Amino acid sequence: MRLGGAQLLDSREILPGQWLQAYLAPDLVAGARAGQFVHVRTGDYSGLVLRRPFSYNTIDPLAGTLTIHFRTVGRGTAWFTQLRPGDRIDMLGPLGRPFEVDPRSRHLLLVAGGLGIAGVRALADEAIRDGRQVTLLFGAATAREVYPSSLLPDEVEYVVATDDGSVGHHGFVTDLVPEYEAWADQAFACGPLPMLRTLSNLAATRRQRLGVASLGRKRGAGRPLAPGSPQARKKAFLQVSMEQNMGCAVGACLGCVVMTTSGTPQRVCREGPVFAAEEIAWEGGW
Amino acid sequence: MKARRRVVTGSAASVKRRPTVRKIKPAIAPVARRASSSASAGSAATARSAASAAARPEPSLPAAPIDLAVDLGRGLVLGNPILVASGTFGYGIEYGDVVDVQRLGAICCKGTTLRPRIGNPTPRVTETPGGMLNSIGLQNPGVDAVVEKYASTWAGWQVPVIVNVAGESIGDYVEVVRRLDGVPGVAGIELNISCPNVGAGGIQFAIDANAAGAVTAAVRRATDLPLLVKLSPNVADVRPIARAIADGGADALTAVNTLSGIAVAPSRARPLLGNVYGGLSGPAIKPVALRIVYEVTQVVDIPVIAIGGVAELADVLDYLAVGAVAAQVGTAIFADPGLPVRLIGELADECRGRGLDSYRPLIGTALPKRAAPPSARGVEYRP
């Protein structure tokens, strides 16, 4: 975790109300991995007292640049759209635990709902760099909100679903999953809670339905993996990036927790934002 | 009186700070170096102010030692009057990568209860104009786990850690404090009395002078640790409550806790926070906190630590002017983790700029000149 300056290089409205911004921030890029996030300070403390968390949308370690992708939902996000190239802002990062890909996984299924694309986008780059095959299933309300394929690496197979059927599959993105789940070695998802819950239900019954082997330990090797540990997550078929209102983003305020099956709330900013789907208590449980 | 004298030997603790001083020494002008070696009490402050002076383009005056020490009683002497507020700084380790926590006046840790608590349903925090609402619900692993996990780390620190204690009954408070009493690394207790008293119909201790006084007295009997009690702003008149707490044997008061509030979900279908009610903090509450500090410092003769919307040096100076001896930084840490440490240097610079060798002349300058009985003016404007 480092506190560093970031200089805006480029700011574009890629979709109505959705912005893509590139920052030069070598301190924040070094060592950052897909699934982690930065906590960014707005310049207006008198009104906006909290930083804003953004996933690393893309990470370029050689150039020292990162991009963030966000929707303007309030005064905070609107403030970021007012920035001009050359402006400097203050970022805290890299924060949280990244996606963990099992070294044996060849085929990765990425599932994104709407702005959830920002959570898994960097993983596509990482996976292709490591020579894996990537299919990205993307769901949006209408064609107007579909993430432009030109912003994805050429190697990614990109499948779109829209709620109104204006492009691609007519229905939810989760409808597309059964077609790919046998192909996929692991799946990674980010998006609205109902989407993640549906995916989790699919993943939970996957072994029985498909008769596939789960990525387990070598026979007889050591102690069982501690739930929630990076090693255990590495073996999980479905990993989800969770969202929650956030305060400090370093684990101090306990504002951004999710309830887990262990009965103890876990911090999205510290133990997350990436969790194995089976760690999350999807029905709450408070 | 004897305790006070031990305080002087306690300032040998600041001699321990010398390694920090040495690290920064190259930045100090020769004059300042002599001064810092002669006056050990102010040496840390010297190093800080010299470092911040070096960071500025034009170093104004040669750094003189400024006495920033705060005596909160019972031997709890802080190196400077800038604390970090409970709930915003975890257990002191979370911000370790980006903040030099050892330079803080003190750390008030996350609220601690007798048994583990999972806290409230989410969402737990939301931003509001100039502030934020939180309803964490005192999530914590319980006093035994806190002691086991963190106390040995705290014991190795030079910064005092004040454990914030919450409970649902007087018995709870007493038991938690008993388990903290004598634990190395625990420098003091801050009582969060803005909790419902389950045994008395769920009325908060903090809104009833009798209950507030009773819980303070009970805890006082259970420990010799320095005892701070945190006042709630959600009362009609805080003065009788402050007096009751002081009479109960508290060593200092903290003013104030968050203001009760709610927010509505964007769908307008329900309140936003999982627990409906949250506590408002941040710059938005500063005028209210300032008013309460102003009232309390005139009716009690124990030190008052101000808290509420501190975001810059001017806020600290305002609180000192109305009689607080120290200030806690809370919500502002989330946006600017370096703020508390920076304020220490800025306060020393401020004193230097005014030709003072201590920050104490800044305390109480805005209070009424005569020590008159507390005024009733302003009461009619209260909600």
Side-chain angles (χ1 to χ4, degrees):
Chain A
M1 186 206 321
R2 291 174 295 272
L3 202 50
Q7 189 178 21
L8 183 66
L9 299 174
D10 186 29
S11 179
R12 282 187 288 159
E13 191 171 7
I14 54 170
L15 293 167
Q18 290 191 31
W19 292 69
L20 187 67
Q21 293 189 326
Y23 288 91
L24 178 65
D27 292 346
L28 283 307
V29 169
R33 287 175 57 196
Q36 291 185 298
F37 66 98
V38 286
H39 210 34
V40 189
R41 190 179 178 188
T42 72
D44 172 23
Y45 184 75
S46 63
L48 308 168
V49 302
L50 295 179
R51 287 175 177 251
R52 299 296 191 272
F54 297 107
S55 290
Y56 284 93
N57 184 62
T58 60
I59 307 163
D60 186 342
L62 291 178
T65 59
L66 61 93
T67 61
I68 59 173
H69 174 194
F70 58 92
R71 192 201 307 269
T72 48
V73 289
R75 286 175 57 201
T77 38
W79 184 87
F80 286 100
T81 64
Q82 305 299 315
L83 293 171
R84 293 286 164 263
D87 289 351
R88 290 186 67 81
I89 57 172
D90 178 345
M91 290 187 181
L92 181 66
L95 299 166
R97 287 200 200 151
F99 288 110
E100 300 284 355
V101 182
D102 190 288
R104 292 166 292 181
S105 290
R106 304 301 311 155
H107 302 154
L108 305 192
L109 183 65
L110 273 45
V111 187
L115 208 69
I117 182 85
V120 294
R121 172 67 187 79
L123 184 61
D125 285 343
E126 258 187 35
I128 285 161
R129 185 198 64 205
D130 296 342
R132 302 178 215 275
Q133 291 184 36
V134 176
T135 295
L136 169 62
L137 309 182
F138 178 81
T142 79
R144 282 166 45 102
E145 294 176 14
V146 172
Y147 190 74
S149 59
S150 59
L151 293 173
L152 288 169
D154 293 340
E155 295 87 342
V156 173
E157 183 188 356
Y158 185 37
V159 187
V160 173
T162 51
D163 297 351
D164 63 0
S166 48
V167 66
H169 170 76
H170 186 173
F172 291 139
V173 66
T174 45
D175 303 340
L176 300 169
V177 171
E179 225 176 296
Y180 291 89
E181 62 177 339
W183 167 85
D185 296 316
Q186 279 187 292
F188 304 87
C190 183
L193 201 62
M195 179 194 109
L196 297 180
R197 190 185 294 129
T198 307
L199 289 173
S200 175
N201 290 340
L202 283 171
T205 57
R206 178 170 174 268
R207 271 185 83 182
Q208 293 87 321
R209 285 184 292 113
L210 304 180
V212 292
S214 63
L215 288 166
R217 294 175 298 123
K218 277 184 190 161
R219 230 178 333 149
R223 287 176 298 153
L225 297 167
S229 67
Q231 292 73 28
R233 286 189 193 161
K234 206 168 256 195
K235 302 282 185 277
F237 172 73
L238 176 62
Q239 292 172 36
V240 293
S241 178
M242 301 296 285
E243 203 179 357
Q244 191 55 265
N245 288 8
M246 204 169 270
C248 69
V250 302
C253 75
L254 307 184
C256 63
V257 297
V258 288
M259 185 47 98
T260 60
T261 43
S262 68
T264 317
Q266 301 280 307
R267 300 167 291 187
V268 169
C269 67
R270 201 82 177 202
E271 286 83 33
V274 175
F275 293 89
E278 60 260 30
E279 285 176 68
I280 305 289
W282 293 102
E283 309 307 326
W286 294 90
Chain B
M1 273 302 123
K2 241 174 198 171
R4 291 272 156 115
R5 224 162 263 149
R6 211 173 295 142
V7 163
V8 179
T9 47
S11 77
S14 62
V15 176
K16 277 187 207 155
R17 282 179 199 163
R18 282 221 171 127
T20 325
V21 174
R22 279 205 192 108
K23 245 184 257 165
I24 309 168
K25 254 186 183 172
I28 304 174
V31 182
R33 204 177 296 171
R34 268 204 305 280
S36 74
S37 58
S38 63
S40 65
S43 60
T46 309
R48 280 198 273 291
S49 51
S52 59
R56 284 201 313 263
E58 293 171 25
S60 45
L61 295 161
I66 305 291
D67 181 9
L68 294 179
V70 194
D71 185 355
L72 293 180
R74 276 183 209 259
L76 180 58
V77 181
L78 315 184
N80 64 71
I82 306 296
L83 298 81
V84 288
S86 173
T88 62
F89 214 73
Y91 295 94
I93 57 169
E94 289 82 356
Y95 274 105
D97 288 357
V98 290
V99 180
D100 184 0
V101 296
Q102 303 303 327
R103 290 172 61 180
L104 297 167
I107 293 169
C108 298
C109 84
K110 175 97 190 96
T112 302
T113 53
L114 184 56
R115 281 171 286 276
R117 283 178 62 103
I118 61 167
N120 287 335
T122 55
R124 290 178 169 184
V125 294
T126 188
E127 195 178 63
T128 57
M132 65 177 285
L133 283 167
N134 85 79
S135 69
I136 309 299
L138 292 169
Q139 183 187 335
N140 80 100
V143 61
D144 294 336
V146 168
V147 167
E148 190 190 326
K149 223 170 151 185
Y150 304 106
S152 59
T153 310
W154 295 341
W157 287 359
Q158 63 188 21
V159 55
V161 176
I162 297 167
V163 178
N164 184 288
V165 172
E168 291 176 342
S169 65
I170 291 181
D172 273 11
Y173 283 101
V174 168
E175 186 54 34
V176 175
V177 168
R178 277 216 186 96
R179 295 186 193 189
L180 292 167
D181 190 42
V183 174
V186 176
I189 303 288
E190 181 182 58
L191 288 191
N192 171 7
I193 55 169
S194 305
C195 308
N197 182 358
V198 170
I203 306 289
Q204 288 182 16
F205 293 96
I207 65 169
D208 174 26
N210 291 332
V215 68
T216 306
V219 169
R220 176 75 290 163
R221 284 192 293 274
T223 182
D224 280 331
L225 282 167
L227 178 60
L228 287 59
V229 180
K230 197 166 187 174
L231 296 170
S232 167
N234 306 315
V235 295
D237 188 354
V238 76
R239 287 170 291 199
I241 299 164
R243 274 197 222 102
I245 292 168
D247 294 344
D251 297 303
L253 291 170
T254 308
V256 294
N257 212 321
T258 52
L259 275 72
S260 180
I262 73 165
V264 174
S267 66
R268 312 278 185 262
R270 58 194 156 78
L272 189 147
L273 295 170
N275 185 49
V276 181
Y277 294 94
L280 181 64
S281 63
I285 73 163
K286 186 187 152 192
V288 178
L290 207 54
R291 184 259 299 169
I292 290 176
V293 173
Y294 179 82
E295 291 176 345
V296 169
T297 53
Q298 295 180 60
V299 298
V300 298
D301 48 13
I302 56 177
V304 176
I305 302 168
I307 164 171
V310 173
E312 55 182 28
L313 182 66
D315 301 323
V316 176
L317 297 175
D318 284 353
Y319 279 122
L320 293 177
V322 295
V325 299
Q328 294 189 6
V329 188
T331 306
I333 295 171
F334 297 161
D336 186 0
L339 176 72
V341 169
R342 220 168 50 239
L343 285 176
I344 301 163
E346 287 177 11
L347 180 60
D349 286 350
E350 175 73 20
C351 296
R352 206 167 288 119
R354 299 189 190 199
L356 303 173
D357 59 0
S358 158
Y359 83 106
R360 276 177 216 105
L362 304 175
I363 298 171
T365 52
L367 292 175
K369 293 296 171 256
R370 292 175 302 116
S375 161
R377 273 180 308 161
V379 171
E380 60 271 30
Y381 298 114
R382 259 186 236 122

